[in-house]
Amino acid sequence: MMIKLETKSLREAYGLCLVELGKRSKDVVVLEADLGKSTRTVLFKEAFPDRFFEMGIAEQNMASTAAGFALAGKIPFYNSFAVFASGRAFDQIRNSICIPKLKVRICGSSCGLSDFGDGKTHQSVEDVAILRAIPNMTILSPADAVETVMMMEAMLAVDGPVYIRINRNDLPIVTPENEPYRIGKIWELRKGKDVAVFATGYMVKKALEAAEVLSHEGIEVRVLNVSTIKPLDVKAVISHTKGVKGIVTVEEHSIIGGLGSAIAEALRKEAHPPIEFIGIQDKFGTSAKAYEELLEAYGLTSKAIADSVRSLVGR
Amino acid sequence: MEAEKVVELKRVALKLRSNVLEMVGVGKAGHLGGSSSLAEITAVLYFHKMRLNPKDPKDPKRDRFLLSKGHAVLIQYAALVELGYFPREELKKVKTLEGILQGHPDLKTPGIEAVTGSLGQGLSIANGMALALRLEKNPARVYVIMGDGELSEGQLWEAAMASANFKVDNLVGIVDYNKIQATGPIKEVFDTGDIPSKWKSFGWHVIEIDGHDIPQIAKALDEAETVKGKPTVIIAHTVKGKGFSFAENSAAYHNAALTEELYKQAQEELRKQGELL
Ligand SMILES: Cc1ncc(C[n+]2csc(CCOP(=O)(O)OP(=O)(O)O)c2C)c(N)n1
């Protein structure tokens, strides 16, 4: 691993990795929009003040400025909350960055519902959908701090723009630390023949919990962490669904346009069993006093996954 | 600037207009108005001021020319072809599946520096380039041309604040102040008010010139190079459609097709202007 990890915080891991990447390459520059304490780019600012650019609360300008850095040979990382990093700057991402396929890295921090208190304006439920539709874009969604580090290490080499979706809260580790990683990898974290569950982000942990419960009922669930949502490893998706009785996708994102859609698109030419989408049901987020409480309110729980699996196998 | 040099650059500007006219052609749409208002500025930049290396369009030491008002890319193609960045045959294939000249700036064309066309983004991109060059202690300079109608884009003012905040002095903004946007005069369509004062209050060094006067353009660009610690913008008063009587000061030829008759007339007008030089 690129850094010695002593945290379960994805954003802390992200910030520490930025510093490490900054040491490895003088071309790494970081742009921030007044959220550096949250996104953890403050760590890079302390280490490399000359390569840190506080752009103010102006995300559109930040996105196109990052394009300019990339055109001049730098590897810029620009940062904000996911909802602003993607939505506020959509046209800039599309035109300034993705058409010319520039090496811009976009960190969508506090993604999904993870900024539970701030409510709908700050929660990103459609960032993956809008960015997935843009050609040339790579979309990463780490499940935990370990995978965040692996992704950061692999990211410098990607030729073209990358969006990484970072959860605000400390999350339990599900990624095997000593296994090799590459961008595009679909991790099979649990074997099972009955139902394939494709999950991403924190939902991978929820899927593993559901699988554990179900195995006591004699239902074996294959749990797959799809942390590269685009480009999706279509072959792996197809092979993981061969012979199962049902497919479930789980994401902390709208069921429109995110992981579920990507999996369904991947299977469109195959005979496949029914697919159940677990995600945010075409709704905005809302404020809550705790993260788990909010996830429960939106049906993003291991129980919901287990119920869905049971109904797919006819129990 | 010597009189001879001035005449030479005037000839270049005419040649650029003539290339633009060729690309607009007959019966197909093209941005004649906003391209021709930039002919002198483009001529001075590409044929006098900028350090270029047409043999190696990616030479790190080159100065950068960006059209934030990307729809005027025909004027940039007109200059690039004269400098040998791509073969002349490409002009005929502009905006076709066969050619390398897209409807708006695209990196597949040698000499094009950024993707622009969605208005309001060029100054931000230019800032990123200028800051990167500064990190590298690379003396190259960045020139970015904006439209006056384009100034209604909010992102441009985010970028204007950023240039001042970062004291970007290796970048020059140029506003093609032709007083007309796509559908009519700025004053009638969407009045952007006192443009020089706006830039001043955003912390820029402001130079106002006649954007068709070659010595004034050259002098302003020289002056910009001496300004340290803040960005410089040149507000260039221009005429949309300059050089084509039917298109001057009119929104009608912002992006319009020419009839055979008008095309011939336009050629004739350019020829006469050449004779007067
Ligand atoms: C974001 C965006 N909105 C709208 C357009 C369509 N458009 C192209 S040119 C133009 C008018 C530009 O006016 P101005 O900046 O004054 O340019 P000029 O008159 O010098 O050609 C418009 C509205 C665009 N290209 N980008």
Side-chain angles (χ1 to χ4, degrees):
Chain A
M1 291 251 284
M2 179 166 60
I3 57 165
K4 194 167 152 2
L5 197 60
E6 284 158 352
T7 175
K8 289 184 174 167
S9 161
L10 288 79
R11 52 193 172 122
E12 194 67 18
Y14 169 79
L16 292 167
C17 288
L18 273 185
V19 174
E20 183 56 33
L21 293 179
K23 285 183 201 155
R24 291 187 184 184
S25 167
K26 67 170 185 36
D27 287 331
V28 170
V29 298
V30 171
L31 292 80
E32 178 56 67
D34 200 24
L35 289 169
K37 287 185 187 162
S38 279
T39 62
R40 303 311 292 153
T41 60
V42 281
L43 300 172
F44 189 91
K45 179 185 180 176
E46 281 158 22
F48 303 105
D50 294 348
R51 286 190 268 149
F52 177 84
F53 297 88
E54 176 52 65
M55 301 305 295
I57 313 152
E59 297 77 12
Q60 304 178 1
N61 178 50
M62 175 166 66
S64 296
T65 305
F69 272 109
L71 284 162
K74 298 291 170 193
I75 306 174
F77 284 72
Y78 90 66
N79 302 267
S80 183
F81 284 180
V83 69
F84 310 130
S86 63
R88 185 57 171 265
F90 175 80
D91 187 63
Q92 288 74 15
I93 296 171
R94 179 184 188 278
N95 290 293
S96 294
I97 296 171
C98 287
I99 292 180
K101 203 179 176 195
L102 299 179
K103 270 187 127 174
V104 174
R105 279 79 183 97
I106 304 170
C107 174
S109 209
S110 288
C111 69
L113 302 175
S114 69
D115 184 12
F116 52 86
D118 278 328
K120 27 182 97 64
T121 53
H122 283 56
Q123 294 161 349
S124 65
V125 299
E126 63 291 85
D127 52 326
V128 173
I130 60 174
L131 297 185
R132 204 167 68 84
I134 308 179
N136 294 335
M137 185 60 106
T138 292
I139 300 179
L140 305 180
S141 165
D144 56 26
V146 171
E147 199 181 20
T148 302
V149 177
M150 291 173 168
M151 285 176 168
M152 290 297 281
E153 181 151 33
M155 203 190 276
L156 281 197
V158 179
D159 179 25
V162 180
Y163 176 72
I164 184 166
R165 204 172 190 248
I166 297 286
N167 195 297
R168 186 179 179 84
N169 304 306
D170 289 9
L171 300 180
I173 305 292
V174 296
T175 304
E177 220 175 283
N178 297 319
E179 264 191 50
Y181 173 80
R182 63 175 168 79
I183 285 173
K185 171 169 180 158
I186 294 181
W187 299 83
E188 185 176 8
L189 294 179
R190 185 180 177 116
K191 293 195 190 308
K193 60 179 183 352
D194 298 324
V195 170
V197 176
F198 294 96
T200 193
Y202 183 28
M203 295 302 112
V204 176
K205 175 68 181 170
K206 302 284 182 198
L208 287 167
E209 285 169 3
E212 185 60 32
V213 170
L214 291 163
S215 90
H216 296 298
E217 301 170 17
I219 304 169
E220 293 307 327
V221 173
R222 177 177 295 163
V223 177
L224 304 146
N225 172 15
V226 188
S227 52
T228 301
I229 298 178
K230 188 184 177 183
L232 186 63
D233 185 343
V234 173
K235 275 197 192 133
V237 170
I238 292 169
S239 80
H240 281 305
T241 54
K242 287 286 177 248
V244 297
K245 296 188 202 71
I247 298 165
V248 180
T249 66
V250 203
E251 60 198 306
E252 194 180 330
H253 181 276
S254 172
I255 55 162
I256 298 174
L259 174 67
S261 304
I263 297 290
E265 289 160 16
L267 294 171
R268 70 191 181 278
K269 290 182 185 160
E270 305 293 313
H272 61 77
I275 309 179
E276 193 61 62
F277 290 167
I278 295 182
I280 298 168
Q281 305 290 321
D282 197 16
K283 280 186 205 148
F284 290 112
T286 194
S287 288
K289 64 179 182 304
Y291 186 36
E292 293 297 335
E293 172 195 75
L294 184 59
L295 293 174
E296 206 160 302
Y298 281 78
L300 301 174
T301 58
S302 54
K303 182 175 176 306
I305 299 167
D307 287 347
S308 187
V309 170
R310 285 187 197 104
S311 80
L312 284 168
V313 296
R315 297 228 203 137
Chain B
M1 184 179 267
E2 286 162 29
E4 249 169 68
K5 180 82 191 172
V6 176
V7 174
E8 183 195 318
L9 288 171
K10 282 185 178 171
R11 279 218 175 83
V12 171
L14 259 182
K15 183 67 195 162
L16 299 187
R17 285 201 175 90
S18 151
N19 286 348
V20 168
L21 181 65
E22 183 182 338
M23 285 181 274
V24 171
V26 173
K28 37 179 197 171
H31 289 92
L32 184 71
S35 297
S36 55
S37 61
L38 286 173
E40 282 76 16
I41 290 166
T42 308
V44 175
L45 278 169
Y46 268 112
F47 296 83
H48 170 65
K49 186 70 192 170
M50 291 201 302
R51 283 158 297 187
L52 299 167
N53 184 359
K55 292 213 172 60
D56 178 10
K58 295 249 180 286
D59 186 340
K61 291 206 203 61
R62 75 196 184 278
D63 290 337
R64 275 79 164 164
F65 177 106
L66 276 81
L67 279 173
S68 189
K69 45 168 281 190
H71 58 277
V73 72
L74 295 185
I75 197 70
Q76 193 171 5
Y77 295 157
L80 291 173
V81 75
E82 292 301 320
L83 291 164
Y85 281 82
F86 50 79
R88 243 197 124 70
E89 298 88 79
E90 287 295 334
L91 297 192
K92 289 188 186 59
K93 294 185 275 180
V94 67
K95 297 199 268 181
T96 65
L97 289 172
E98 293 74 37
I100 59 164
L101 306 181
Q102 292 280 299
H104 285 82
D106 189 284
L107 294 193
K108 77 173 163 185
T109 310
I112 295 292
E113 301 284 358
V115 168
T116 52
S118 177
L119 292 169
Q121 301 184 12
L123 182 56
S124 309
I125 299 173
N127 275 335
M129 286 178 177
L131 288 167
L133 293 170
R134 187 162 87 185
L135 277 178
E136 296 285 315
K137 302 195 167 52
N138 182 331
R141 294 172 67 74
V142 183
Y143 297 94
V144 55
I145 300 181
M146 297 160 274
D148 48 5
E150 186 188 11
L151 295 185
S152 38
E153 284 285 359
Q155 183 187 348
L156 230 149
W157 297 102
E158 296 179 1
M161 278 187 273
S163 314
N165 175 69
F166 291 113
K167 303 181 169 50
V168 178
D169 55 15
N170 52 347
L171 168 155
V172 180
I174 300 171
V175 176
D176 182 9
Y177 198 7
N178 60 30
K179 326 287 183 302
I180 292 174
Q181 51 190 105
T183 54
I186 303 277
K187 278 250 173 291
E188 289 166 26
V189 178
F190 184 81
D191 190 350
T192 39
D194 183 346
I195 287 174
S197 299
K198 283 192 170 69
W199 286 97
K200 265 179 218 142
S201 74
F202 274 69
W204 287 61
H205 177 69
V206 177
I207 307 172
E208 254 184 283
I209 59 163
D210 173 346
H212 298 301
D213 185 300
I214 282 168
Q216 281 190 39
I217 299 166
K219 190 162 159 271
L221 292 169
D222 289 345
E223 179 182 328
E225 218 157 353
T226 67
V227 178
K228 297 293 166 208
K230 52 153 66 178
T232 295
V233 64
I234 298 169
I235 313 272
H237 292 267
T238 56
V239 172
K240 192 155 176 168
K242 175 80 175 174
F244 306 102
S245 62
F246 56 90
E248 285 193 358
N249 290 313
S250 155
Y253 292 89
H254 171 72
N255 182 18
L258 298 181
T259 60
E260 183 77 45
E261 202 186 347
L262 267 185
Y263 186 83
K264 290 224 171 90
Q265 180 190 328
Q267 279 181 318
E268 186 55 22
E269 288 184 12
L270 291 182
R271 198 185 56 76
K272 283 199 181 125
Q273 289 164 40
E275 278 175 9
L276 292 176
L277 285 180

